[in-house]
Amino acid sequence: MPEIIEEDYRLMKLANTNTFSLNIFGWSAIERTEGEFDFGWLDKIMDRLAEEGSHVILATPSGARPAWLSQTYPEVLRVEKNRVRNLHGLRHNHCFTSPVYREKVRIMNEKLAERYANHPSLIMWHISNEYGGECHCDLCQDAFRTWLKEKYNNDLEQLNQAWWTGFWSHRFNDWSQVESPAPHGENMVHGMNLDWRRFVSDQTIDFYKHEIAPLRAVDPSIPVTTNFMGNYPHMRPFLGIDYNKFAKEMDIVTWDSYPPWHIEGQTTTKLASDVGFVHDLYRSLKDGQPFLIMENTPSLVNWHDINKTKEEGVHALSAIQAVAHGADSILYFQWRQGRGASEKFHGAVVDHSGTEHTRVFQEVARLGDELNKLQPVAGTSVAPEVAVVFDFENNWAIDDAQALNNINKKYSEQCQAHYHSFWKQGIPVDVISMEGDFSKYKVLVGPMLYMIKPGVAERIEAFVKAGGTFIATYWSGIVNENDLCFLGGFPGPLKNLLGVWAEEIDSLYPEHGIKVSTAGRTYNVTDYCERVHANEAEVLGTFESGGYDKRPALTVNQVEAGKAYYMASSNEQRFYDDFYSELATELSLTRILDAAIPGGVSVQKRTDGETDYVFVMNFSEEAQQVELESNIQYINALTGTARSGIITVEAYNYMILSK
Amino acid sequence: MPEIIEEDYRLMKLANTNTFSLNIFGWSAIERTEGEFDFGWLDKIMDRLAEEGSHVILATPSGARPAWLSQTYPEVLRVEKNRVRNLHGLRHNHCFTSPVYREKVRIMNEKLAERYANHPSLIMWHISNEYGGECHCDLCQDAFRTWLKEKYNNDLEQLNQAWWTGFWSHRFNDWSQVESPAPHGENMVHGMNLDWRRFVSDQTIDFYKHEIAPLRAVDPSIPVTTNFMGNYPHMRPFLGIDYNKFAKEMDIVTWDSYPPWHIEGQTTTKLASDVGFVHDLYRSLKDGQPFLIMENTPSLVNWHDINKTKEEGVHALSAIQAVAHGADSILYFQWRQGRGASEKFHGAVVDHSGTEHTRVFQEVARLGDELNKLQPVAGTSVAPEVAVVFDFENNWAIDDAQALNNINKKYSEQCQAHYHSFWKQGIPVDVISMEGDFSKYKVLVGPMLYMIKPGVAERIEAFVKAGGTFIATYWSGIVNENDLCFLGGFPGPLKNLLGVWAEEIDSLYPEHGIKVSTAGRTYNVTDYCERVHANEAEVLGTFESGGYDKRPALTVNQVEAGKAYYMASSNEQRFYDDFYSELATELSLTRILDAAIPGGVSVQKRTDGETDYVFVMNFSEEAQQVELESNIQYINALTGTARSGIITVEAYNYMILSK
Amino acid sequence: MPEIIEEDYRLMKLANTNTFSLNIFGWSAIERTEGEFDFGWLDKIMDRLAEEGSHVILATPSGARPAWLSQTYPEVLRVEKNRVRNLHGLRHNHCFTSPVYREKVRIMNEKLAERYANHPSLIMWHISNEYGGECHCDLCQDAFRTWLKEKYNNDLEQLNQAWWTGFWSHRFNDWSQVESPAPHGENMVHGMNLDWRRFVSDQTIDFYKHEIAPLRAVDPSIPVTTNFMGNYPHMRPFLGIDYNKFAKEMDIVTWDSYPPWHIEGQTTTKLASDVGFVHDLYRSLKDGQPFLIMENTPSLVNWHDINKTKEEGVHALSAIQAVAHGADSILYFQWRQGRGASEKFHGAVVDHSGTEHTRVFQEVARLGDELNKLQPVAGTSVAPEVAVVFDFENNWAIDDAQALNNINKKYSEQCQAHYHSFWKQGIPVDVISMEGDFSKYKVLVGPMLYMIKPGVAERIEAFVKAGGTFIATYWSGIVNENDLCFLGGFPGPLKNLLGVWAEEIDSLYPEHGIKVSTAGRTYNVTDYCERVHANEAEVLGTFESGGYDKRPALTVNQVEAGKAYYMASSNEQRFYDDFYSELATELSLTRILDAAIPGGVSVQKRTDGETDYVFVMNFSEEAQQVELESNIQYINALTGTARSGIITVEAYNYMILSK
């Protein structure tokens, strides 16, 4: 429908949008029958967008394939855990190992590279779409065994030892006996489960690398990315792939952000903090390099249980928050709603009415205008003094552990609780993996460091000795990189540094009534509680009630120039808030604003070293006031007017100040 | 056991029962081995019932088949969505496409017709039992493709367009690529899901037509029926088949009614109203022609989660309600409990004690006596001025939509809320499909008319212009018959008639706090809320609070001689009650009784044009009083005594008045 | 790691442990490749334990098999209900019918017997581990048919009659048509489901007998056992096998006891009573012969939803409770935590710290010391005057019935409610099957005797006539041993004895409000309520409210020298407490202590006829006092000091008194 397409170009201008991601599911439009390629429709769009001065992020279409491909080559269809091969359907439903699929993708990508690498509108390659999932076909079983042989030096005994197969008589005496986890086969050998998740992650990244090879071959200067995901409804990173490993192969990180704003059972403020955690993690993947929001919805999604629209202002607030945490650009899924199929009710800039006269369109246009005014922010970043460790492999291992609260171990929840205390104070945070560089931070928070990979304990110790402050919690130092327990007492290799021995861990039912008391204040314990011996450590807080009465709950160990804290229980948020507030004062951590920050308000910063951009965002349902430092002259970055004294930020609104 | 059978005939007289449905699962008794038929046992029962003056509704036994048939011809076994063929077992477990099954059924039905068509006890054929379910075998896949080719004129591009297959690269380029929906295949192409449901419905009806052919061939004058079902625990029609289509092929509608009386979380009054909705729908299927209750339990069922018995009086009340809504006869499942297998604890007229000295038996006998006194009611009906549209295909499409509250869209609940307001006022209602004839009504209520099939908008507009009153709600005019969205603004083809543009729809969590205010009264909004623009329409009510403050919530548009209302949200019941009460007054709708009807009391009517039968039924837990019109002389139809002034109806009791 | 093993021997002494179960999952350690056996490691441990004076319970390793066995002989892998064969993995995953598996097990067991039968450390054989589960492979289908032919005398018509296959046309005309129950096949033929459970139970026992044959062949004097299980989180016996039948083939009963202490929603007191019920049942399996606790955890398990540790003292209390009910020994799972795999976080005497300096180790050692002091208790038992009937087949049939509350029929809950009233009074109870010997009791309580097997009614009647007191409840006398209903009125063959006719049973939603009134007191009815006619029986209590007002709720029928009570409803605990308290007084039942027993305290007894050991155990959260009889001189069995007058037992503590 050419008139609709023409109308689209008119609306794009009105919406202040100028970058478009194309071709994500375009395979069947390009190659309708095997080997016959038609790029005409794509040429037209690319050319026209170039004329309009717009940019294109061009996708390889491997995220979904034509029906003929599944029909002719059934091996491309994924096999599920139950060992049943899927039928054609949905998307993201292909084997990452299949030589046929790899070859078909290579041909497609080569043609795209040859045709568009030099196209004036092209600014970036978008590889496939939202990589995820796993395949258990025979090809993948073989690839898994090959991966294992490499890891275990072709020595089956090493594998038997790492997986502790002697237990339950599971010892393998031939590689061919190894199979991927299955609901109706092996699924309780945790070392095996962990290696399988690593293999799946590696194989996905390998497929991605296979995809980019023909693109790079034509022009290595064009940046490549793929769109990462979040996890919903609990807002945290997508956990299917080790994004720390994946990001190394990408030129720029992008992600699809769909926070479930206004979801029941969580305040908008806490949800905003959890979103901030994810933004900060993705910014930290490439050492503070700005990222892109590849997808977000201008209104609502259609795949939540209850698809609530965003309240007035929340869409812009959500987008500005992304920018505040490091995003350089905000793209939408989707531009225009399709008339049929499964996403026809997913929010879009242009809905089925087809006009610009919608609340949503107008909000998008207004936001687009503001984002244009914030162009100078692009490329800037932030250099936090605080890092929270969130580690994908650690998360996999914790979730798979048969222990604690088996329904929900709450690893990311715990990391996000510590993070939240800094968020409330306007102190920037990096979210890094266990393999990250600790040396640039003053404070390192490592909640639930269940798995300690080789060298990590040593690096933490060096960090503390050099004057750093390290905070550890219950359920740390339990297993090595193969999920084998450390012997000699927990927290294993961190025992000396922390100066404690964690003898037992207790998982609590709600309403158990244990409390922790420190510095004259008392807090509720939630979920977990350890029986800890303070060996070298000083006891700062103790439990009250029950068998835990007067036992250590919070300790600190001075080690050379630094300090190592241990929190023996999971506590209510107020505990972390008070603790980190005092710590920030003690360590003179830099707060972005030297001001009291009211509840619901988030203060974030981006800087190029000269100009600071301070984002003051109000996620609460009421207007909030912040008193700016009297000695600094701020300018409202959107209006250009000077600001000082008390500023008022309306509910679900924001102010961006530069100085 | 001949003595038990002999005893049965004695008890049948005592129970005042005179019509029996036989042979529903009789196949293995008739054809114990392939091709050897023994009708002796059936002859004996039929002959004896004829002697007793009783009637037989004789079933074809296709609802369950002998084990030898499954063993010899595995193709008759149904294949589930997961593409696994069932083993022999249960019932209703056969492929409707299988040529073998069709042939075996044809032979059986031919023999039944030849043997019993002229039997003096035979009054009706009962085809199979409670048709439902679906099969995904290769035969059905082929039949599906054939059905699609016919619908889409042998043009795969038409199918691609209707199913919007370009999305997610799903375009088909060969018919053989099309497969039925599968959990491990395609299931998000909503146009395909919808066509599959249509195909399953059509194929079931086709099988039924195959069944009746040999019966009609022998004597086309014997009426045929099959027993429709309800849905439980939420009381609404069974949704597996388009009963509007199916009813066209039947001489008389019958259904199996098992309301979950006393279920937790719903008042008996509201449940009674929901049951009335289903009765009215089934009566409306053949334009007001009376129906039969083919099954109901005299006591309890055994397949609810919690199998509560009916309180004293509720059994008779439930049966009389069916009569009040158009039933001409009430049959029981089951006459006598079988000693073993899965329904041995399902209620029966004669239980395992084997005597008439049970509460249940006595209630059945007393009711039977009353039903005999109500013989003149048979054949009468009612001609409502109000119709509520409840459309099976619309329901399928709404439930399958990826949008709104994905857990429960609440389509039937919404239809039943509107219906309930008329039920409370004693105003009769028809429940019709979108294809029904609107012209005979004064008021047409069309809640959630998501799908507007071709011609429907035009017929509604004609209805309004001719003076009718039409009530529409949120989520109307969204898609066409193939689930493709209308462009240019919702409610699509109803936009001009209603004079509104529904820009956005919001799905609400409980306790969201939005209210609607109209005519000085305020009501709670529930579940859904739209952002509506009243273009030509007059605003009668507005929302309060939040981003919806002062926006239109209830509008009306005068179009020539009629009016078209739009309700932009789902509201508490009181809203509908007040609205329809005022509407009834404004339009002078005929109430069956010109009296205040207390809560819990339902007033229904049947008439032959001369004598009116007014059913006053008390579903509440207390006695209720109604003041009869002073100018009319009523007669208690069960006692023959004259009634006037105030009548008292005890809890769970009823009074039937003729005039 | 020899140094760890050496350390183990040191710790064993410290822990006061002297009996060890070995080789439970040792197959792959012994037979690493097919046909090559290495017993060296086992020799060493056995020899050393003999030197240390410790005892070994040596297991046959059939509970899990090496991967090579599954790979070479796939027939040994179990086939699930859905007819899909499992992959290798987990444990307890083998077909009990497979000739190959039986042969491999025979060879293994023969070698173990030959090697260790005369070993000085060996005191018992432990056969396999926690038998359970079922297989639906073709071999098992054949075995099932063979089992059925035997039961039904090779007469398919008998089977058709017993299974009532005429219903739903399910009649079989060839044995080959019979298949085991399947979710996608037959599953509503209750007689078939029941026979399948019996077959699975019998086949498991048959496999066990196959296992012990080579052991007995070498030395029949060595006792054999296998470890029975409990059911969690609701504490009751494991229901997969008829343990009454199984126990007949064992020399001593042992079981793995993992009560979910401190679980939410149940008091520790009630849980303790439910545990006592299971102990008493297992003691009753072999007529009061003491049993062993083969496994219990010294701290926590890791397979509950929430893995709470035991509060201080509860571990010892739990162990002492086992002794109080008849255990002669307490073994642990596990001695030392393994570094990897699925049970690395399951509690152990020696945890990953590897030392004796843990709370858990110290508690184990202290308890071990106490158990040594209680050596004289070994071999003693108790001879209760009261028996509660809990019947496995009855439980299977009730749970499978399509009736009542289909979510939870609450059979064991009801048995445990009656049991609890005696537990509170310190009156010992046996828990026996329907086939048990009733004649030795004064009181026989048979809750929900849904199934009455042949002869049972007659034996109960004889029991009553001889002066016994029998208590029956609702839902009794419904079906025979094949799940076919009794005709002529319930409670079927118990109708005359009880003197009542139970006409109808009602299943209640919570908060229904029916009450029962007896002897001037009023109690809440829960779950079930029957409409009963007291024919010959005297009415002692009636219902109040609703349709049940003034109808019989509690009746008694004097029959010769005895009495038969009938309780027509399920009631709150207080009802049973009051009833059995008065009954105990009326019948002068022997209470272990002639004293008021405070809430939370359990009093149990073991005796050799001369010395009585009285266990006073406090399961409440506060100290409790008991006043000892003034005329008896007790001695604290652990300290040797005399005790009289008021004794105080601290929270979660106990006192063992001998007299």
Side-chain angles (χ1 to χ4, degrees), chain A residues 164 167 487-488, chain C residues 1-12 20 298 332-339 343-344 346-356 361:
Chain A
W164 210 252
F167 184 75
L487 303 182
Chain C
M1 288 146 294
E3 65 284 6
I4 285 189
I5 291 173
E6 212 42 52
E7 174 71 357
D8 273 344
Y9 294 114
R10 186 182 72 83
L11 291 170
M12 285 168 183
F20 301 91
Y332 291 101
F333 178 80
Q334 48 192 346
W335 168 254
R336 184 188 277 272
Q337 291 179 322
R339 283 193 68 195
E343 298 198 318
K344 62 180 175 293
H346 190 290
V349 177
V350 182
D351 70 17
H352 294 294
S353 75
T355 77
E356 66 267 39
F361 189 97

Side-chain angles (χ1 to χ4, degrees), chain A residues 626-640:
Chain A
V626 178
E627 182 167 6
L628 299 178
E629 302 97 319
S630 53
N631 59 333
I632 303 179
Q633 185 59 50
Y634 286 101
I635 292 167
N636 183 321
L638 293 173
T639 63

Side-chain angles (χ1 to χ4, degrees), chain C residues 156-166 170-173:
Chain C
L156 196 51
E157 273 319 293
Q158 286 186 23
L159 178 148
N160 276 318
Q161 175 65 17
W163 291 3
W164 209 254
T165 55
H170 282 168
R171 174 178 301 283
F172 297 106
N173 57 14

Side-chain angles (χ1 to χ4, degrees), chain B residues 116-131:
Chain B
Y116 298 112
N118 299 315
H119 196 284
S121 68
L122 182 76
I123 57 164
M124 202 183 304
W125 294 112
H126 177 306
I127 310 303
S128 198
N129 183 58
E130 295 185 344
Y131 280 113

Side-chain angles (χ1 to χ4, degrees), chain C residues 121-138:
Chain C
S121 68
L122 183 75
I123 56 164
M124 200 184 302
W125 294 112
H126 177 306
I127 309 303
S128 199
N129 183 59
E130 296 185 343
Y131 280 114
E134 60 190 53
C135 175
H136 295 258
C137 76
D138 289 344

Side-chain angles (χ1 to χ4, degrees), chain A residues 92-326:
Chain A
H92 305 311
N93 173 14
H94 40 269
C95 170
F96 287 136
T97 306
S98 158
V100 167
Y101 199 62
R102 290 189 169 217
E103 175 61 7
K104 290 294 176 187
V105 166
R106 189 196 58 74
I107 294 169
M108 172 61 74
N109 292 7
E110 203 167 79
K111 287 190 185 291
L112 286 169
E114 285 162 1
R115 193 170 196 97
Y116 299 113
N118 300 315
H119 196 283
S121 67
L122 182 76
I123 57 164
M124 200 183 303
W125 293 113
H126 178 305
I127 309 304
S128 199
N129 183 61
E130 295 185 345
Y131 280 113
E134 60 191 51
C135 174
H136 295 258
C137 76
D138 289 343
L139 295 165
C140 284
Q141 300 291 347
D142 279 343
F144 182 39
R145 287 183 203 113
T146 302
W147 186 96
L148 291 169
K149 283 177 191 168
E150 191 169 342
K151 172 168 179 186
Y152 295 108
N153 307 307
N154 246 318
D155 179 356
L156 196 51
E157 273 319 293
Q158 286 186 23
L159 177 147
N160 276 317
Q161 175 65 18
W163 290 4
W164 210 252
T165 56
F167 184 75
W168 287 358
S169 216
H170 282 167
R171 175 178 300 282
F172 298 105
N173 57 14
D174 193 287
W175 289 98
S176 65
Q177 291 158 0
V178 179
E179 286 184 88
S180 64
H184 62 312
E186 193 51 78
N187 51 56
M188 297 282 273
V189 174
H190 302 282
M192 170 174 159
N193 294 345
L194 185 59
D195 275 345
W196 171 253
R197 294 202 73 158
R198 285 169 171 148
F199 161 76
V200 169
S201 185
D202 284 0
Q203 193 75 347
T204 308
I205 296 170
D206 187 72
F207 184 88
Y208 160 88
K209 287 162 77 175
H210 173 86
E211 282 221 46
I212 63 176
L215 308 175
R216 289 244 162 97
V218 171
D219 183 348
S221 75
I222 302 166
V224 297
T225 190
T226 187
N227 46 347
F228 284 172
M229 292 184 277
N231 183 83
Y232 316 95
H234 176 69
M235 186 75 226
R236 60 185 155 198
F238 173 71
L239 295 171
I241 303 171
D242 185 342
Y243 279 167
N244 271 290
K245 264 188 156 177
F246 205 161
K248 290 189 181 28
E249 312 296 334
M250 291 160 60
D251 295 310
I252 184 163
V253 167
T254 67
W255 79 285
D256 300 346
S257 174
Y258 293 104
W261 296 113
H262 318 302
I263 196 171
E264 215 173 14
Q266 193 174 26
T267 64
T268 303
T269 298
K270 183 56 167 69
L271 176 58
S273 174
D274 290 351
V275 177
F277 178 88
V278 179
H279 283 314
D280 285 348
L281 189 159
Y282 290 159
R283 184 194 64 235
S284 304
L285 288 177
K286 294 189 83 72
D287 279 330
Q289 177 186 305
F291 56 93
L292 304 191
I293 297 297
M294 183 63 90
E295 297 184 8
N296 88 121
T297 176
S299 48
L300 44 58
V301 299
N302 66 335
W303 42 264
H304 284 316
D305 280 352
I306 294 180
N307 293 293
K308 176 121 193 56
T309 60
K310 297 180 207 168
E311 300 279 336
E312 304 271 345
V314 170
H315 171 57
L317 178 62
S318 180
I320 291 295
Q321 186 193 21
V323 174
H325 285 267

Side-chain angles (χ1 to χ4, degrees), chain A residues 469-488:
Chain A
T469 299
F470 171 59
I471 294 93
T473 75
Y474 62 93
W475 202 239
S476 289
I478 310 289
V479 300
N480 72 9
E481 74 280 12
N482 288 323
D483 205 48
L484 292 178
C485 286
F486 292 116
L487 303 182

